[in-house]
Amino acid sequence: MVKAVVGANWGDEGKGKITDMLAREADIVIRFQGGANAGHTIVNDYGKFALHTLPSGVFYDHVTNIIGNGVALNIPLLFKEIRELTDRNVPMPHILISDRAQIVMPYHILLDACEEARLAGRSFGSTKSGIAPFYSDKFAKIGFQVSELFDEEILKEKAERVCVLKNVMLEHLYHQEPLKPEALLETLHEYRDMIAPYVANVSAFLYEALKAGKNILLEGQLGTMKDPDHGIYPMVTSSSTLAAYGAIGAGLPPYEIKKVIAVTKAYSSAVGAGAFVSEIFGDEADELRRRGGDGGEYGATTGRPRRMGWYDCVASHYGCRLQGATDVALTVLDVLGYLDEIPVCVGYEIDGEVTKEFPVTAKLNRAKPVYEVLPGWKCEIRGIRRYEELPENCRKYVEFIEAQIGYPITMVSNGPGRDDIIYRESSL
Ligand code: GDP
């Protein structure tokens, strides 16, 4: 049985917590896209951790954690992350790295930073992790696949070819020192020696795992709005954030993905540039940011303050639809307990007309939020384990959102910990 845990919004919805929680029942957890450019925050018995590359199953001894072929693999960061876990008494996790994953190279990171600096005020708000240059090279067929690390001839030839290309940009556009093939080759050898014990034919492993009836979790990074096809292009990431891509980025048959858990936060937040219709500002935003998540809404990778907004049903309906949600997990509901009233965005006004359909970017940039205001519940809901025990206004908030988005909210998260979860029967 394969389940996917994916984001219905802009990312940071709490996917890490939901994956960590579901991983208890899983045999395998797989990252299938993205790189170290975003982070999941996980709170469990070992403490609080920010994971960037590692799958969220790393805290369980019974889980095999897989870095799928769709991932942008930053090898030094992967090992730094593993060390951060083992230094804090987490047992060394079981890790497999796909022999078809490609490698983020130091020049991807350099080029990312150079391009952001060149664009200055017109930048995409990149985290400068090299993700866009990495995926550009993958599809331009000049990336380094993990398997190639073990073929000296390929490696040498490609290192030379890549340096010629990269040096045109580095020297003439960005006025940087040129790359040297020998130095590049040395880096690649270091990478090879680091990951050699973990490299595997992942699709063959998964084929056998499926035959043996194993439970597999696919873990998405970011969310629908950051998908390069269906998101707010060009303010998107460079790999697909959709559950459907899990089949490709892990090497699984698409029909094996039986459950898609779309994670959505009880209010909105976003990082980076791009349209954000229900965004709020000033004191209202500061207060929500300060109270949000677990210790404030600041980027897990960059520490940047996240942009804040009210819940957006238009974006979330679309977000769940493109994910193909079978279940919705509504997270961080506990944070809203301080509000007298809670606005919820139920439509977009574009050129004088109200729509519930999430539009293409040019129209999205002109959209203004249409709000309905719901009463708050004004109390702490952490610790509650049964849906019926939530305050009435809190249940009304959940049910209002469910009706608006049109997908069943079967899990409500009311705290950052593994056990802070309420399962419910949806009436949808
Ligand atoms: P992800 O990238 O989707 O995993 O999301 P992040 O980890 O960036 O952001 C979610 C933040 O909210 C983390 O700090 C989590 O510990 C925290 N979190 C997750 N679920 C809940 C919840 O139900 N309540 C509270 N208060 N915090 C939560």
Side-chain angles (χ1 to χ4, degrees):
M1 158 85 138
V2 183
K3 290 182 192 170
V5 179
V6 286
N9 302 120
W10 297 264
D12 307 319
E13 299 95 345
K15 295 177 295 293
K17 178 234 156 109
I18 300 292
T19 311
D20 174 62
M21 189 187 93
L22 294 175
R24 202 180 313 193
E25 314 280 307
D27 302 297
I28 298 166
V29 180
I30 312 174
R31 281 283 313 269
F32 61 88
Q33 47 92 210
N37 53 327
H40 295 312
T41 313
I42 295 182
V43 183
N44 57 31
D45 301 343
Y46 295 106
K48 184 171 177 175
F49 296 88
L51 299 182
H52 306 284
T53 300
L54 285 172
S56 298
V58 287
F59 299 100
Y60 294 100
D61 197 41
H62 67 272
V63 172
T64 302
N65 294 279
I66 295 185
I67 313 272
N69 55 277
V71 168
L73 175 62
N74 182 320
I75 294 171
L77 281 185
L78 173 72
F79 282 86
K80 182 166 168 272
E81 226 173 286
I82 295 173
R83 260 197 317 277
E84 280 165 9
L85 296 191
T86 51
D87 282 354
R88 290 172 63 191
N89 300 323
V90 179
M92 177 66 195
H94 307 288
I95 294 169
L96 293 182
I97 298 172
S98 167
D99 54 3
R100 293 179 182 274
Q102 295 207 8
I103 303 163
V104 177
M105 299 297 295
Y107 56 76
H108 290 137
I109 295 161
L110 176 64
L111 287 166
D112 204 352
C114 288
E115 182 60 7
E116 281 286 299
R118 189 182 73 88
L119 291 172
R122 295 168 295 124
S123 82
F124 294 94
S126 162
T127 59
K128 304 186 197 65
S129 311
I131 301 299
F134 164 88
Y135 281 108
S136 307
D137 280 2
K138 175 173 173 177
F139 292 106
K141 296 170 283 190
I142 51 168
F144 286 94
Q145 194 179 75
V146 163
S147 65
E148 294 172 347
L149 292 176
F150 303 94
D151 189 317
E152 197 56 26
E153 219 168 286
I154 292 184
L155 219 49
K156 236 174 144 187
E157 185 275 325
K158 200 184 255 182
E160 277 167 24
R161 190 153 45 90
V162 164
C163 283
V164 172
L165 277 173
K166 297 297 165 197
N167 286 344
V168 175
M169 297 272 275
L170 282 172
E171 289 188 285
H172 299 291
L173 185 60
Y174 301 125
H175 310 295
Q176 299 284 321
E177 288 291 310
L179 303 174
K180 294 191 182 71
E182 311 77 53
L184 193 56
L185 209 53
E186 212 169 290
T187 305
L188 288 160
H189 290 158
E190 276 170 32
Y191 287 176
R192 177 194 61 202
D193 297 342
M194 287 165 91
I195 66 166
Y198 306 101
V199 176
N201 178 345
V202 164
S203 73
F205 178 84
L206 294 177
Y207 175 74
E208 295 300 333
L210 281 168
K211 276 207 294 194
K214 301 282 187 200
N215 283 325
I216 299 173
L217 267 187
L218 293 167
E219 177 177 23
Q221 183 215 35
L222 297 168
T224 307
M225 274 67 218
K226 296 286 186 182
D227 183 75
D229 286 88
H230 295 284
I232 54 173
Y233 188 85
M235 301 303 182
V236 293
T237 194
S238 303
S239 66
S240 177
T241 56
L242 302 183
Y245 192 74
I248 298 163
L252 282 165
Y255 55 78
E256 294 288 355
I257 305 174
K258 304 290 188 220
K259 266 194 181 289
V260 176
I261 296 149
V263 185
T264 186
K265 197 153 59 179
Y267 52 88
S268 301
S269 74
V271 287
F276 181 9
V277 177
S278 64
E279 186 167 12
I280 55 174
F281 303 93
D283 293 347
E284 199 178 34
D286 287 344
E287 174 139 44
L288 185 55
R289 182 179 301 111
R290 192 166 52 71
R291 291 173 176 268
D294 178 36
E297 290 282 0
Y298 302 92
T301 301
T302 56
R304 290 190 285 192
R306 292 177 180 153
R307 297 164 69 193
M308 306 303 296
W310 300 125
Y311 193 81
D312 184 338
C313 298
V314 179
S316 299
H317 162 75
Y318 179 81
C320 289
R321 193 174 88 204
L322 272 297
Q323 293 291 8
T326 58
D327 292 76
V328 177
L330 183 70
T331 59
V332 206
L333 189 60
D334 50 304
V335 160
L336 299 183
Y338 73 98
L339 290 159
D340 294 318
E341 293 185 319
I342 313 174
V344 176
C345 176
V346 294
Y348 290 174
E349 190 191 314
I350 304 171
D351 305 332
E353 278 186 36
V354 174
T355 179
K356 285 182 180 287
E357 178 56 23
F358 191 80
V360 293
T361 307
K363 282 191 176 170
L364 185 69
N365 288 333
R366 302 201 296 278
K368 295 187 186 67
V370 177
Y371 287 116
E372 260 190 55
V373 178
L374 273 66
W377 47 91
K378 300 291 288 178
C379 65
E380 177 63 77
I381 60 162
R382 275 203 200 180
I384 294 178
R385 292 287 174 269
R386 283 161 43 87
Y387 186 68
E388 300 71 43
E389 285 165 19
L390 287 173
E392 186 182 1
N393 283 347
C394 182
R395 280 182 276 131
K396 281 190 172 153
Y397 185 78
V398 174
E399 287 156 32
F400 180 84
I401 286 176
E402 180 178 64
Q404 289 285 326
I405 65 177
Y407 288 87
I409 297 175
T410 58
M411 281 170 257
V412 175
S413 171
N414 60 340
R418 270 179 188 170
D419 299 317
D420 297 320
I421 195 80
I422 300 169
Y423 291 96
R424 78 181 270 269
E425 294 275 318
S426 164
S427 49
L428 288 186

